[in-house]
Amino acid sequence: MPDKVFIFDTTLRDGEQTPGASLNIDEKLQIARHLELLNVDIIEAGFPRASKGDFAAVKAVAREIRGCQIAGLARANFDDINEAWEALKDATAPRIHTFISTSDIHLQYQLRKSREEVLEQAVAAVKHAARYTGNVEFSAMDAGRSDLDYVCKVFTAVIDAGATTVNFPDTVGYTIPHEFGAKIKYLVEHIPNIHKAVISVHCHNDLGLAVANTLAAIVNGARQAEVTINGLGERAGNASLEEVVMALATRQDLFHYDTDIVTQYIYPTSRLVSKLTGVVVQPNKAIVGANAFAHESGIHQDGVLKEASTYEIMTPAAVGIKKSLLPLGKLSGRHAFQKKLQEMGFYITDDELNRVFTRFKDLADKKKTVFDEDLVSLVETEVIYKSVPEHFRLEELVVLTGTMVKPNATVKMRLGREEKTTSSFGDGPIDATYKAITHLAQSKCKLLKFSVSSITGGTEALGEVAVRLEDEGHIVTGQGVDPDVVTASARAYINGLNRLHFLKQGGPKGKKPEEMEG
Ligand code: KIV
Ligand code: ZN
């Protein structure tokens, strides 16, 4: 039987350290639910001591998600570990993940401690954590640049102290696959009690080698891979879950290892994470990028039409990209529309269906072909993402722009029961539109981030806009989609304003800036 590789997902912890990608509790819970559907073994839900928001999010995930182990990060000190336990204790299978650096460079410049002091601190931390739970992970931060015999010494001692997983992170993404693989082999051969623990790896992508290093480690004895959805994470990110899992699944002739991942949830989870963090997936990203299964050259198209395996090493369906044979157009009825959504895995309420159907009809009027990707985006923005009441609603938008005029936008908006209209000039059509909306909503929010992408190819593609807004310490993401990119931008902004309004009215707390470190 193939060996099992445990998948430890750290999207909610290291992934959230992606610049600009902070998530509030509600958003973290949505992602955690998807990770549970994906069937990851361990969800690292956050770093409880880092902030009140992180503590609350870890607690909420630990309470709700019953099908995965839930980990919380803690530095190697008692206060961090106590706090982590407090957040984790309601989980069905809690894991305390404690860490300290082991490289001389970190010891000398950051910790200002000797190797002996760090060893003692690591052992004391693991012993303390083991008083709470038998499920303790120890990470030797910057292990990739640490003296290997010293790491062996630390791992031997922490396993004796109760660590059941020992993690070897390439914190700065410095190592090269054959070198990283050899390091893992060295651990296996030089740690006398290694059979009592699982070896884990946690690879960063600074040289674009995180996935390759993770695979090299698995071949050499690692049995836990720490990964994130879409490869999010500090700086250049972490090894991506979808790439590691699909490499193991696709090359079973080489890798005789199994994961328990339900791969059909990969794409929906990737989309959700991208939407909620506002971090767009590059089109040529392996597995989940918009072009991952697109065949442009005539020779390739010819081959794929005759037999998909000529140019596809896995099927889109295997990762949850569903192509349906039932195209929809402007004459399609509500029933066919509902059937199509169900075929794509969306079971929504009647109210939600009415809302999406109205948007679909508008879209079909403007656009010749409504692609599956368009429908996914509509459902996501109208149902999954529009989970807050609509205090502000865009009624009409007229924009005058071009090379000869100063861009001007007239916006008619509903604010609760009132309807208001105003016009504004701006540096561009989107700037003019945002000024008009800001004026009508009387908002003082700050636009932290604005990103636009197209869902399919061609000039009639749907534009998808994500914004990040901050007001009174709350940070939210807004999403909008429309064939007209200015309208999509307006929708995203208004969606964000609704989220802020909801939070200010006492909805689930958004994450405050002072809570964002960690
Ligand atoms: O990159 C790293 O070393 C980490 C540790 C906390 C595991 O994220
Ligand atoms: Zn990391």
Side-chain angles (χ1 to χ4, degrees):
M1 211 173 78
D3 271 9
K4 165 158 170 163
V5 173
F6 289 89
I7 298 297
F8 176 112
D9 182 279
T10 182
T11 307
L12 298 179
R13 200 276 298 168
D14 215 323
E16 206 207 8
Q17 291 173 217
T18 306
S22 70
L23 297 158
N24 63 34
I25 296 185
D26 198 32
E27 293 166 335
K28 284 193 172 187
L29 272 170
Q30 286 192 54
I31 293 175
R33 288 180 200 122
H34 269 67
L35 294 173
E36 190 178 25
L37 290 171
L38 259 181
N39 206 25
V40 305
D41 297 284
I42 303 112
I43 296 176
E44 185 164 54
F47 184 174
R49 191 101 200 284
S51 70
K52 287 198 190 93
D54 244 28
F55 179 91
V58 174
K59 200 160 190 66
V61 172
R63 283 192 169 156
E64 183 181 318
I65 305 295
R66 309 318 283 169
C68 309
Q69 297 177 45
I70 308 297
L73 188 66
R75 285 166 298 186
N77 68 61
F78 287 12
D79 287 343
D80 269 33
I81 291 168
N82 295 343
E83 192 95 341
W85 179 251
E86 206 39 50
L88 290 166
K89 64 183 183 196
D90 297 331
T92 30
R95 171 180 294 194
I96 297 176
H97 176 193
T98 185
F99 73 98
I100 191 164
S101 292
T102 51
S103 67
D104 288 338
I105 194 164
H106 281 205
L107 265 58
Q108 185 181 346
Y109 295 109
Q110 198 177 11
L111 300 182
R112 297 182 203 282
K113 288 189 182 215
S114 68
R115 286 188 181 183
E116 288 65 35
E117 284 170 318
V118 165
L119 175 64
E120 263 177 40
Q121 195 176 330
V123 168
V126 169
K127 277 193 179 150
H128 187 64
R131 285 187 201 114
Y132 288 124
T133 168
N135 189 352
V136 178
E137 171 168 340
F138 172 78
S139 282
M141 195 166 179
D142 205 18
R145 291 191 300 171
S146 301
D147 176 80
L148 212 45
D149 285 321
Y150 177 57
V151 176
C152 287
K153 194 168 162 188
V154 173
F155 278 0
T156 307
V158 295
I159 294 170
D160 274 344
T164 43
T165 302
V166 283
N167 184 34
F168 190 91
D170 183 14
T171 302
V172 290
Y174 176 73
T175 60
I176 305 296
H178 71 274
E179 178 196 18
F180 196 65
K183 285 179 190 286
I184 301 304
K185 188 159 185 270
Y186 194 87
L187 301 184
V188 174
E189 288 167 354
H190 291 85
I191 299 176
N193 52 1
I194 197 66
H195 57 282
K196 294 190 187 158
V198 171
I199 299 179
S200 166
V201 288
H202 173 111
C203 298
H204 278 272
N205 206 28
D206 300 66
L207 291 173
L209 295 170
V211 170
N213 281 340
T214 303
L215 295 173
I218 291 170
V219 170
N220 284 284
R223 288 294 174 271
Q224 175 176 286
E226 300 202 354
V227 289
T228 57
I229 300 292
N230 299 338
L232 290 183
E234 188 79 35
R235 303 182 313 279
N238 288 63
S240 102
L241 178 147
E242 57 276 11
E243 293 176 26
V244 170
V245 167
M246 291 316 290
L248 294 177
T250 307
R251 296 305 308 273
Q252 288 204 340
D253 55 324
L254 283 182
F255 301 116
H256 306 289
Y257 314 108
D258 269 347
T259 70
D260 286 338
I261 296 299
V262 181
T263 59
Q264 288 75 8
Y265 283 107
I266 285 179
Y267 185 65
T269 310
S270 159
R271 296 275 314 169
L272 181 78
V273 169
S274 170
K275 287 221 154 239
L276 295 183
T277 57
V279 180
V280 174
V281 174
Q282 75 197 55
N284 58 331
K285 163 86 176 61
I287 320 290
V288 292
N291 297 345
F293 295 93
H295 302 279
E296 192 71 15
S297 107
I299 296 175
H300 288 214
Q301 287 175 352
D302 175 62
V304 169
L305 285 175
K306 287 175 176 150
E307 164 56 46
S309 65
T310 50
Y311 291 95
E312 279 180 0
I313 59 168
M314 67 195 93
T315 64
V319 295
I321 300 175
K322 295 192 180 128
K323 295 267 174 226
S324 148
L325 299 173
L326 212 147
L328 287 179
K330 63 179 184 183
L331 298 177
S332 307
R334 195 172 175 282
H335 185 65
F337 181 73
Q338 182 179 30
K339 228 174 131 218
K340 166 91 177 183
L341 290 187
Q342 287 176 350
E343 208 182 281
M344 295 171 75
F346 294 117
Y347 290 84
I348 59 182
T349 64
D350 278 355
D351 270 1
E352 291 165 345
L353 183 68
N354 289 341
R355 234 169 39 223
V356 188
F357 188 60
T358 310
R359 287 290 318 274
F360 158 73
K361 281 289 190 184
D362 286 349
L363 189 62
D365 265 344
K366 294 183 193 158
K367 209 170 173 283
K368 255 198 330 270
T369 326
V370 179
F371 294 105
D372 287 0
E373 290 88 337
D374 299 333
L375 288 182
V376 170
S377 185
L378 274 191
V379 176
E380 283 170 351
T381 32
E382 287 301 315
V383 179
I384 299 176
Y385 214 77
K386 207 169 262 177
S387 49
V388 293
E390 261 193 317
H391 177 73
F392 303 108
R393 201 164 78 216
L394 180 68
E395 297 290 359
E396 280 168 29
L397 170 64
V398 179
V399 177
L400 185 67
T401 189
T403 51
M404 308 292 286
V405 290
K406 184 156 175 68
N408 178 270
T410 303
V411 175
K412 190 202 268 186
M413 229 165 92
R414 181 161 287 284
L415 301 92
R417 290 193 185 152
E418 274 182 283
E419 202 169 72
K420 289 188 178 172
T421 305
T422 196
S423 291
S424 297
F425 289 99
D427 291 338
I430 295 173
D431 186 46
T433 305
Y434 276 30
K435 283 190 171 126
I437 295 172
T438 306
H439 178 75
L440 288 177
Q442 300 273 292
S443 172
K444 293 195 170 43
C445 76
K446 222 163 88 191
L447 180 66
L448 300 180
K449 189 166 159 191
F450 175 89
S451 69
V452 56
S453 53
S454 79
I455 294 175
T456 53
T459 50
E460 58 155 44
L462 277 189
E464 204 174 33
V465 174
V467 295
R468 199 103 188 127
L469 307 177
E470 188 202 326
D471 196 8
E472 292 179 12
H474 298 295
I475 295 181
V476 297
T477 304
Q479 304 282 337
V481 58
D482 199 274
D484 178 304
V485 83
V486 182
T487 310
S489 306
R491 289 192 195 286
Y493 190 32
I494 290 172
N495 179 235
L497 289 177
N498 277 321
R499 296 185 155 261
L500 284 173
H501 183 75
F502 180 60
L503 291 175
K504 288 201 234 159
Q505 300 287 302
K509 285 278 167 276
K511 197 163 188 186
K512 307 219 169 185
E514 68 271 19
E515 297 173 2
M516 285 173 61
E517 288 102 51

